[in-house]
Amino acid sequence: MKNYPDTDWQALTRITYVDKLIVVLAITLITSLFVTIWHAQQGTHASIQSPQQLLQLDLQHAQTIEVAGVQGTSILQVNNGKLRFVSSPCKRKICIHSGWQHLDGDVTACLPNRVSVAIRHRDSPYDSINF
Amino acid sequence: MRQQRDTYQTTSVDHRIAWLAALAIAIHIFEASFPSPLPGVKPGLANIITLLVMMLFGWRMAAWVSLLRVIVGSLLLGTFLSPTFILSLSGALAALLMLGVTKLLLGRVLGLIGFAVLAALAHMLAQFFVAYTLFMPHPALLHLLPILLSAALIFGIFSGIIAIRIAKHIKAYGSTNDIITR
């Protein structure tokens, strides 16, 4: 191969155990990234912000509470570690349709009524997460 | 005073760089016409040229070919100095750095698939962190990282396989283009 005097042809066409090791290491790294980044914790409590007050609720304690907003009363239900809006005086009911919230970082709100809910874990790394 | 020549003498090395860069640019532009399922996911076939040039002619020429590809490719696609260009450039620089370091450290025991995979991962990681710090500093972006790296790994393995096939072809037939190797 006079055109390529410095080329190690054997090195150009081989697949070595180091190649395979690198692929295996890369798969391990990506899998562990999937596990750590995509892992979402169950929330332990909810912070409810209304025009009058900031409430902290324990999600393990099943209850239904009424929160006064600017348009009327929003009814929130806590059950089995989850929380949802049951009713709200707003027009479009987006808060109710967003359903049960239970993961750390989940946020739901009734904007017309100025009532918002953030699900948190005791030692949560994030204020909120959106997608 | 020395008289300035109004033409520059080009060497055969310059011509070789220009031909190889032209090849890489053609692949780069061809690839830009593919639809992409996710922003940032691209096969990166032009990097096969960078890899083979490094193995055949050395790292310096690979750096020339790769950077010319990024600059001329962006001029032709109209993305020069745009965020796309910055991402492309940072990826190319990271891949070059990774190739150079890997060749120094593991050159004796590594094949083309290992090089291609490491370069693809470095390319993707650099692009991701530039995108994260400059354009979208939002924690939700982190959720894309494992998906983007999976794509980089798969395309890296494919690039390596294609590079080995091309290397076998060059080995068997010599250069098919006399101009490149003259």
Side-chain angles (χ1 to χ4, degrees):
Chain A
M1 293 305 301
K2 62 178 173 54
N3 288 334
Y4 309 96
D6 304 325
T7 300
D8 178 3
W9 289 100
Q10 195 268 326
L12 271 179
T13 48
R14 69 189 171 193
I15 299 176
T16 67
Y17 71 94
V18 186
D19 287 323
K20 290 168 188 164
L21 184 70
I22 281 172
V23 171
V24 170
L25 282 179
I27 291 172
T28 319
L29 172 86
I30 292 168
T31 313
S32 60
L33 272 179
F34 264 115
V35 171
T36 49
I37 292 179
W38 283 87
H39 171 78
Q41 283 182 306
Q42 287 283 329
T44 54
H45 64 271
S47 305
I48 300 165
Q49 177 79 60
S50 73
Q52 281 83 36
Q53 56 184 334
L54 177 63
L55 267 172
Q56 299 282 344
L57 283 190
D58 183 356
L59 288 179
Q60 295 313 311
H61 177 57
Q63 58 185 313
T64 302
I65 63 156
E66 298 187 352
V67 181
V70 293
Q71 290 188 350
T73 306
S74 293
I75 300 175
L76 299 163
Q77 184 188 4
V78 177
N79 192 15
N80 208 8
K82 303 183 203 171
L83 180 148
R84 68 171 176 177
F85 276 84
V86 178
S87 79
S88 203
C90 50
K91 222 183 202 170
R92 297 178 61 196
K93 311 291 182 198
I94 291 171
C95 52
I96 297 169
H97 290 298
S98 70
W100 289 105
Q101 309 292 324
H102 65 107
L103 295 175
D104 176 27
D106 278 349
V107 170
T108 184
C110 180
L111 290 184
N113 205 23
R114 302 280 190 277
V115 175
S116 67
V117 178
I119 308 292
R120 306 299 307 276
H121 186 268
R122 224 174 283 104
D123 27 63
S124 170
Y126 300 117
D127 289 337
S128 71
I129 296 178
N130 55 37
F131 298 97
Chain B
M1 238 171 71
R2 267 180 66 189
Q3 201 186 350
Q4 282 277 314
R5 269 187 305 202
D6 52 3
T7 54
Y8 286 100
Q9 286 296 309
T10 52
T11 64
S12 63
V13 175
D14 296 335
H15 293 183
R16 188 182 286 164
I17 289 171
W19 275 101
L20 290 165
L23 180 57
I25 291 160
I27 296 172
H28 181 87
I29 290 178
F30 171 67
E31 208 178 58
S33 64
F34 288 175
S36 166
L38 253 184
V41 175
K42 253 179 80 177
L45 295 173
N47 295 315
I48 297 171
I49 305 298
T50 311
L51 177 60
L52 281 170
V53 169
M54 182 182 80
M55 301 307 278
L56 293 171
F57 303 113
W59 186 83
R60 276 177 66 99
M61 196 181 281
W64 271 110
V65 169
S66 176
L67 296 177
L68 279 173
R69 195 251 309 161
V70 170
I71 293 167
V72 179
S74 73
L75 284 172
L76 290 174
L77 292 171
T79 58
F80 185 57
L81 296 184
S82 73
T84 313
F85 169 77
I86 295 170
L87 291 176
S88 183
L89 182 64
S90 54
L93 287 173
L96 278 173
L97 192 70
M98 179 58 107
L99 283 176
V101 171
T102 323
K103 199 177 179 216
L104 277 180
L105 297 179
L106 297 170
R108 290 178 180 284
V109 289
L110 204 58
L112 287 184
I113 291 182
F115 276 115
V117 165
L118 287 172
L121 292 179
H123 195 283
M124 187 59 88
L125 272 174
Q127 282 191 326
F128 182 84
F129 282 104
V130 169
Y132 186 76
T133 48
L134 284 185
F135 305 125
M136 287 176 77
H138 194 286
L141 198 63
L142 279 175
H143 286 82
L144 277 178
L145 182 60
I147 298 172
L148 293 174
L149 284 178
S150 307
L153 174 63
I154 292 164
F155 286 130
I157 294 172
F158 273 108
S159 296
I161 292 169
I162 295 171
I164 287 179
R165 289 197 67 124
I166 297 174
K168 280 183 177 160
H169 191 88
I170 300 174
K171 186 184 177 184
Y173 300 105
S175 171
T176 50
N177 189 339
D178 201 33
I179 297 163
I180 294 179
T181 53
R182 189 162 58 203

mmCIF file of all heavy atoms in Angstrom, chain B residues 146-167:
data_model
loop_
_atom_site.group_PDB
_atom_site.id
_atom_site.type_symbol
_atom_site.label_atom_id
_atom_site.label_comp_id
_atom_site.label_asym_id
_atom_site.label_seq_id
_atom_site.Cartn_x
_atom_site.Cartn_y
_atom_site.Cartn_z
ATOM 1 N N PRO B 146 -30.393 10.634 28.438
ATOM 2 C CA PRO B 146 -30.203 9.199 28.171
ATOM 3 C C PRO B 146 -30.699 8.780 26.790
ATOM 4 O O PRO B 146 -30.066 7.937 26.137
ATOM 5 C CB PRO B 146 -31.029 8.511 29.266
ATOM 6 C CG PRO B 146 -31.354 9.535 30.260
ATOM 7 C CD PRO B 146 -31.260 10.870 29.604
ATOM 8 N N ILE B 147 -31.793 9.404 26.319
ATOM 9 C CA ILE B 147 -32.319 9.051 24.996
ATOM 10 C C ILE B 147 -31.329 9.474 23.911
ATOM 11 O O ILE B 147 -31.016 8.713 22.998
ATOM 12 C CB ILE B 147 -33.679 9.746 24.765
ATOM 13 C CG1 ILE B 147 -34.681 9.246 25.801
ATOM 14 C CG2 ILE B 147 -34.187 9.494 23.360
ATOM 15 C CD1 ILE B 147 -35.978 10.008 25.791
ATOM 16 N N LEU B 148 -30.801 10.715 24.048
ATOM 17 C CA LEU B 148 -29.840 11.215 23.058
ATOM 18 C C LEU B 148 -28.570 10.361 23.063
ATOM 19 O O LEU B 148 -28.017 10.051 22.006
ATOM 20 C CB LEU B 148 -29.499 12.678 23.357
ATOM 21 C CG LEU B 148 -30.634 13.678 23.172
ATOM 22 C CD1 LEU B 148 -30.216 15.054 23.648
ATOM 23 C CD2 LEU B 148 -31.047 13.739 21.713
ATOM 24 N N LEU B 149 -28.109 9.960 24.266
ATOM 25 C CA LEU B 149 -26.896 9.150 24.327
ATOM 26 C C LEU B 149 -27.131 7.760 23.742
ATOM 27 O O LEU B 149 -26.234 7.184 23.122
ATOM 28 C CB LEU B 149 -26.396 9.040 25.772
ATOM 29 C CG LEU B 149 -25.691 10.284 26.315
ATOM 30 C CD1 LEU B 149 -25.288 10.069 27.764
ATOM 31 C CD2 LEU B 149 -24.453 10.617 25.494
ATOM 32 N N SER B 150 -28.349 7.215 23.928
ATOM 33 C CA SER B 150 -28.658 5.913 23.309
ATOM 34 C C SER B 150 -28.557 6.022 21.795
ATOM 35 O O SER B 150 -27.972 5.148 21.136
ATOM 36 C CB SER B 150 -30.068 5.446 23.670
ATOM 37 O OG SER B 150 -30.256 5.448 25.045
ATOM 38 N N ALA B 151 -29.124 7.106 21.254
ATOM 39 C CA ALA B 151 -29.057 7.311 19.798
ATOM 40 C C ALA B 151 -27.598 7.422 19.362
ATOM 41 O O ALA B 151 -27.188 6.823 18.355
ATOM 42 C CB ALA B 151 -29.835 8.559 19.401
ATOM 43 N N ALA B 152 -26.786 8.177 20.147
ATOM 44 C CA ALA B 152 -25.373 8.348 19.796
ATOM 45 C C ALA B 152 -24.652 7.004 19.790
ATOM 46 O O ALA B 152 -23.840 6.716 18.908
ATOM 47 C CB ALA B 152 -24.691 9.313 20.768
ATOM 48 N N LEU B 153 -24.960 6.168 20.783
ATOM 49 C CA LEU B 153 -24.310 4.849 20.868
ATOM 50 C C LEU B 153 -24.645 4.004 19.644
ATOM 51 O O LEU B 153 -23.763 3.434 18.997
ATOM 52 C CB LEU B 153 -24.754 4.146 22.153
ATOM 53 C CG LEU B 153 -24.287 2.704 22.315
ATOM 54 C CD1 LEU B 153 -22.773 2.627 22.388
ATOM 55 C CD2 LEU B 153 -24.902 2.059 23.547
ATOM 56 N N ILE B 154 -25.949 3.949 19.294
ATOM 57 C CA ILE B 154 -26.374 3.115 18.163
ATOM 58 C C ILE B 154 -25.747 3.619 16.861
ATOM 59 O O ILE B 154 -25.152 2.848 16.095
ATOM 60 C CB ILE B 154 -27.916 3.109 18.074
ATOM 61 C CG1 ILE B 154 -28.483 2.375 19.285
ATOM 62 C CG2 ILE B 154 -28.370 2.437 16.780
ATOM 63 C CD1 ILE B 154 -29.956 2.617 19.518
ATOM 64 N N PHE B 155 -25.833 4.943 16.636
ATOM 65 C CA PHE B 155 -25.265 5.482 15.401
ATOM 66 C C PHE B 155 -23.741 5.366 15.407
ATOM 67 O O PHE B 155 -23.120 5.199 14.349
ATOM 68 C CB PHE B 155 -25.701 6.940 15.202
ATOM 69 C CG PHE B 155 -27.131 7.071 14.778
ATOM 70 C CD1 PHE B 155 -27.995 7.942 15.430
ATOM 71 C CD2 PHE B 155 -27.630 6.321 13.724
ATOM 72 C CE1 PHE B 155 -29.323 8.070 15.037
ATOM 73 C CE2 PHE B 155 -28.955 6.442 13.322
ATOM 74 C CZ PHE B 155 -29.797 7.317 13.981
ATOM 75 N N GLY B 156 -23.126 5.446 16.592
ATOM 76 C CA GLY B 156 -21.670 5.273 16.691
ATOM 77 C C GLY B 156 -21.250 3.884 16.253
ATOM 78 O O GLY B 156 -20.290 3.718 15.490
ATOM 79 N N ILE B 157 -21.988 2.850 16.716
ATOM 80 C CA ILE B 157 -21.664 1.473 16.329
ATOM 81 C C ILE B 157 -21.815 1.309 14.812
ATOM 82 O O ILE B 157 -20.945 0.750 14.139
ATOM 83 C CB ILE B 157 -22.570 0.481 17.085
ATOM 84 C CG1 ILE B 157 -22.256 0.513 18.594
ATOM 85 C CG2 ILE B 157 -22.377 -0.932 16.551
ATOM 86 C CD1 ILE B 157 -23.218 -0.280 19.449
ATOM 87 N N PHE B 158 -22.914 1.867 14.265
ATOM 88 C CA PHE B 158 -23.125 1.763 12.817
ATOM 89 C C PHE B 158 -22.014 2.482 12.043
ATOM 90 O O PHE B 158 -21.499 1.957 11.058
ATOM 91 C CB PHE B 158 -24.495 2.334 12.428
ATOM 92 C CG PHE B 158 -25.584 1.308 12.517
ATOM 93 C CD1 PHE B 158 -26.525 1.365 13.527
ATOM 94 C CD2 PHE B 158 -25.653 0.274 11.597
ATOM 95 C CE1 PHE B 158 -27.524 0.410 13.628
ATOM 96 C CE2 PHE B 158 -26.647 -0.695 11.681
ATOM 97 C CZ PHE B 158 -27.582 -0.623 12.706
ATOM 98 N N SER B 159 -21.645 3.689 12.521
ATOM 99 C CA SER B 159 -20.562 4.422 11.858
ATOM 100 C C SER B 159 -19.282 3.600 11.852
ATOM 101 O O SER B 159 -18.566 3.547 10.849
ATOM 102 C CB SER B 159 -20.298 5.746 12.561
ATOM 103 O OG SER B 159 -21.410 6.579 12.475
ATOM 104 N N GLY B 160 -18.993 2.954 12.998
ATOM 105 C CA GLY B 160 -17.787 2.133 13.099
ATOM 106 C C GLY B 160 -17.811 0.987 12.099
ATOM 107 O O GLY B 160 -16.815 0.718 11.412
ATOM 108 N N ILE B 161 -18.971 0.323 11.974
ATOM 109 C CA ILE B 161 -19.092 -0.806 11.042
ATOM 110 C C ILE B 161 -18.888 -0.320 9.601
ATOM 111 O O ILE B 161 -18.147 -0.937 8.820
ATOM 112 C CB ILE B 161 -20.468 -1.485 11.213
ATOM 113 C CG1 ILE B 161 -20.540 -2.166 12.585
ATOM 114 C CG2 ILE B 161 -20.700 -2.512 10.105
ATOM 115 C CD1 ILE B 161 -21.921 -2.640 12.984
ATOM 116 N N ILE B 162 -19.520 0.825 9.282
ATOM 117 C CA ILE B 162 -19.359 1.363 7.920
ATOM 118 C C ILE B 162 -17.896 1.739 7.676
ATOM 119 O O ILE B 162 -17.337 1.459 6.609
ATOM 120 C CB ILE B 162 -20.279 2.598 7.725
ATOM 121 C CG1 ILE B 162 -21.748 2.179 7.818
ATOM 122 C CG2 ILE B 162 -20.011 3.254 6.378
ATOM 123 C CD1 ILE B 162 -22.717 3.346 7.856
ATOM 124 N N ALA B 163 -17.257 2.356 8.695
ATOM 125 C CA ALA B 163 -15.849 2.760 8.539
ATOM 126 C C ALA B 163 -14.965 1.546 8.279
ATOM 127 O O ALA B 163 -14.050 1.591 7.445
ATOM 128 C CB ALA B 163 -15.380 3.514 9.786
ATOM 129 N N ILE B 164 -15.232 0.431 8.985
ATOM 130 C CA ILE B 164 -14.430 -0.781 8.771
ATOM 131 C C ILE B 164 -14.616 -1.299 7.344
ATOM 132 O O ILE B 164 -13.657 -1.690 6.666
ATOM 133 C CB ILE B 164 -14.814 -1.863 9.809
ATOM 134 C CG1 ILE B 164 -14.260 -1.473 11.183
ATOM 135 C CG2 ILE B 164 -14.269 -3.222 9.387
ATOM 136 C CD1 ILE B 164 -14.593 -2.449 12.276
ATOM 137 N N ARG B 165 -15.853 -1.251 6.859
ATOM 138 C CA ARG B 165 -16.119 -1.711 5.484
ATOM 139 C C ARG B 165 -15.365 -0.845 4.474
ATOM 140 O O ARG B 165 -14.794 -1.348 3.508
ATOM 141 C CB ARG B 165 -17.615 -1.680 5.187
ATOM 142 C CG ARG B 165 -18.391 -2.742 5.920
ATOM 143 C CD ARG B 165 -19.738 -2.917 5.293
ATOM 144 N NE ARG B 165 -19.603 -3.465 3.951
ATOM 145 C CZ ARG B 165 -20.200 -4.589 3.545
ATOM 146 N NH1 ARG B 165 -20.957 -5.254 4.378
ATOM 147 N NH2 ARG B 165 -20.039 -5.024 2.317
ATOM 148 N N ILE B 166 -15.385 0.485 4.704
ATOM 149 C CA ILE B 166 -14.672 1.381 3.783
ATOM 150 C C ILE B 166 -13.163 1.096 3.848
ATOM 151 O O ILE B 166 -12.476 1.031 2.827
ATOM 152 C CB ILE B 166 -14.964 2.858 4.116
ATOM 153 C CG1 ILE B 166 -16.456 3.154 3.928
ATOM 154 C CG2 ILE B 166 -14.139 3.785 3.240
ATOM 155 C CD1 ILE B 166 -16.877 4.543 4.373
ATOM 156 N N ALA B 167 -12.656 0.892 5.089
ATOM 157 C CA ALA B 167 -11.219 0.623 5.249
ATOM 158 C C ALA B 167 -10.834 -0.651 4.512
ATOM 159 O O ALA B 167 -9.792 -0.701 3.844
ATOM 160 C CB ALA B 167 -10.882 0.513 6.733
#
